[in-house]
Amino acid sequence: GIGAYASGMFFYGLTSLFNPILDEFGWAATATAVMFSMRSMEGGFASPVVGFLVDRFGCRVITMIGVIMAGAGAVLLSFTDALWNFYLFFAVVAIGLSFMVPIPGIAAAARWFIRKRSRAIGLVVLGPGFGGLMVPVLSWLIGAYGWRIALVAAGVGMWAVGIPLAILIRDAPEKYGYLPDGDPPVEADRLKNAAIQPIAASEASAEPEFTASQVLRTRVFWLLSFGLALQSLSTYAVLGFVVPAVMRIGVNPYIGAVMVTLTTLASILGRFGFGWLGDTYNKKALLVFVFGLQGVGVLMLAFAQSLWQVAVFALLFGPAYGAAVTLRAAFQADYFGTKAFGGIQGMLMGLITLSGVFSPIFTGWMYDTRGDYRLAFVILGLICFAGAAPILVMKRPRIPEKALAGHAAGEKQGI
């Protein structure tokens, strides 16, 4: 619920705010596009910090902080009267989003499940997919009451929806006396002999347990980060400019917002569908496939001349970028374990989202200089194809020696 509302209003919904703000202040498209880049830049810098805070303080506390900040930032943004405070207030929104989505929810799912982890993560990230339903609502609010009132409503709504839901979040099964996947607890006498706490052990745990510093020394982490960064270049730019782009071919803003909704709803197929496939088939092959699918979708948008072609773009692009969200988190948990999941995911997300700093500005600059988005989308689509190359050469990392020693010691104790 939190992911659906936050993503709908403050991620996908930004594309509906772009033209009204541009028209009121007369700013260049490049200047206004900086808000998309700021969202990525703040996320890039904040994600590693958020990840480590999740590991330290838990998912519930960090999500609550994010809800409060994003709501406050949206209300402040409604008072914008100059470019500098527009950037400042939007930075508050962007930091709040980083605290809410996606690190805490995915971290909790990865810790509660092992055997069906991809499906569990897929369910968690369904929320942002449904967030597209909020875009027409925001577009209607902007048309009926203006973008300032719409932002106040979005901020207050964030508090009303997010605060009660954040209270319900549970961090990890061990804190509540459970084990991942609902497995039965280990026998009390065996635990007593091992001199450990009952909820700290799991017979099913044969996963690697990397620390954040160990992960940084693996080749696979950098290959995964680079491939996902290339794929994300088109994700951030396209989602930010869908409405302005389709308006150039004669589609009205409300129908453009509906296309954003169609894209995000289509992403649900990728988020959960590829989550289910990821528990059964090779995740690497699936990720390479969705990169190619996303690249084709971006090229379709680049050359679209009619509404049905835009709809085809949505049905290709949506499932592809949605699948990447699920598969990248499942990759991380399978390869590096969940001991430091928040911190590792934060570093990974930081590198990925920083790629989104450049693509919106590049796309806005291309529009200012050429008068259309076509060439920018062609370049971004081709880059998305290139992102598959690092994924193809990835190999599962070796378990650190200390982790191997820990597993061996556990076996001697009967754990």
Side-chain angles (χ1 to χ4, degrees):
I2 294 174
Y5 186 90
S7 298
M9 287 294 183
F10 306 125
F11 189 86
Y12 305 120
L14 290 184
T15 191
S16 294
L17 288 165
F18 187 86
N19 278 349
I21 294 174
L22 196 79
D23 293 340
E24 177 166 333
F25 293 104
W27 297 330
T30 305
T32 314
V34 170
M35 73 175 175
F36 301 124
S37 295
M38 285 182 61
R39 178 186 62 197
S40 302
M41 183 169 62
E42 296 293 344
F45 287 123
S47 290
V49 177
V50 172
F52 287 108
L53 290 175
V54 165
D55 290 337
R56 177 67 177 83
F57 297 105
C59 304
R60 180 193 300 173
V61 173
I62 302 307
T63 302
M64 184 69 75
I65 293 172
V67 168
I68 294 170
M69 287 187 66
V75 173
L76 289 171
L77 199 58
S78 70
F79 292 98
T80 294
D81 58 10
L83 192 59
W84 72 267
N85 57 36
F86 171 77
Y87 290 157
L88 176 64
F89 298 150
F90 189 77
V92 178
V93 176
I95 294 172
L97 284 177
S98 298
F99 274 65
M100 284 187 291
V101 183
I103 294 175
I106 293 177
R111 290 167 179 162
W112 278 89
F113 295 91
I114 295 175
R115 291 189 296 273
K116 296 183 179 180
R117 175 175 286 150
S118 293
R119 272 170 275 192
I121 293 173
L123 286 172
V124 169
V125 299
L126 284 183
F130 284 109
L133 295 171
M134 301 300 301
V135 179
V137 176
L138 182 60
S139 182
W140 175 81
L141 284 171
I142 293 169
Y145 301 103
W147 63 270
R148 295 180 187 274
I149 298 298
L151 280 168
V152 172
V156 173
M158 184 73 259
W159 294 330
V161 171
I163 291 175
L165 291 178
I167 294 172
L168 300 177
I169 293 175
R170 299 291 181 265
D171 298 313
E174 292 82 2
K175 289 186 178 182
Y176 307 99
Y178 303 107
L179 294 176
D181 294 312
D183 289 340
V186 182
E187 293 87 341
D189 57 341
R190 291 180 61 194
L191 295 172
K192 183 177 180 180
N193 293 335
I196 61 174
Q197 295 297 320
I199 61 174
S202 170
E203 291 182 292
S205 180
E207 290 195 304
E209 292 297 352
F210 286 76
T211 64
S213 60
Q214 289 169 337
V215 164
L216 289 174
R217 295 194 292 271
T218 66
R219 182 168 177 260
V220 66
F221 174 80
W222 296 105
L223 288 171
L224 182 62
S225 298
F226 184 53
L228 289 168
L230 292 178
Q231 173 259 345
S232 295
L233 285 170
S234 63
T235 302
Y236 286 101
V238 170
L239 289 176
F241 286 92
V242 170
V243 173
V246 299
M247 286 175 64
R248 299 294 298 175
I249 61 173
V251 177
N252 70 56
Y254 185 77
I255 298 299
V258 171
M259 287 297 103
V260 176
T261 299
L262 179 60
T263 305
T264 58
L265 289 177
S267 79
I268 293 171
L269 298 175
R271 293 169 192 270
F272 184 71
F274 279 86
W276 179 81
L277 291 172
D279 287 328
T280 309
Y281 300 102
N282 185 287
K283 293 184 180 68
K284 182 191 294 187
L286 293 173
L287 197 57
V288 169
F289 173 76
V290 301
F291 278 24
L293 192 66
Q294 180 167 330
V296 172
V298 177
L299 293 178
M300 175 62 73
L301 181 63
F303 294 100
Q305 294 295 321
S306 62
L307 188 58
W308 75 265
Q309 291 173 322
V310 177
V312 172
F313 144 77
L315 295 175
L316 294 173
F317 181 88
Y321 91 84
V325 173
T326 300
L327 291 173
R328 74 189 182 202
F331 255 115
Q332 179 198 324
D334 288 353
Y335 279 20
F336 306 124
T338 58
K339 179 181 179 180
F341 187 91
I344 296 169
Q345 189 187 33
M347 294 187 300
L348 184 64
M349 288 297 299
L351 294 170
I352 294 170
T353 53
L354 281 176
S355 71
V357 172
F358 305 104
S359 59
I361 294 177
F362 166 74
T363 306
W365 174 77
M366 290 290 283
Y367 176 78
D368 285 338
T369 56
R370 298 181 59 86
D372 63 50
Y373 297 96
R374 175 171 293 178
L375 182 57
F377 288 161
V378 168
I379 293 171
L380 292 170
L382 295 176
I383 290 174
C384 194
F385 290 133
I391 306 301
L392 283 170
V393 299
M394 288 193 319
K395 294 182 180 179
R396 186 179 291 272
R398 296 179 60 184
I399 299 177
E401 292 183 5
K402 289 184 178 180
L404 289 171
H407 282 300
E411 290 176 1
K412 289 180 180 180
Q413 292 179 336
I415 300 175

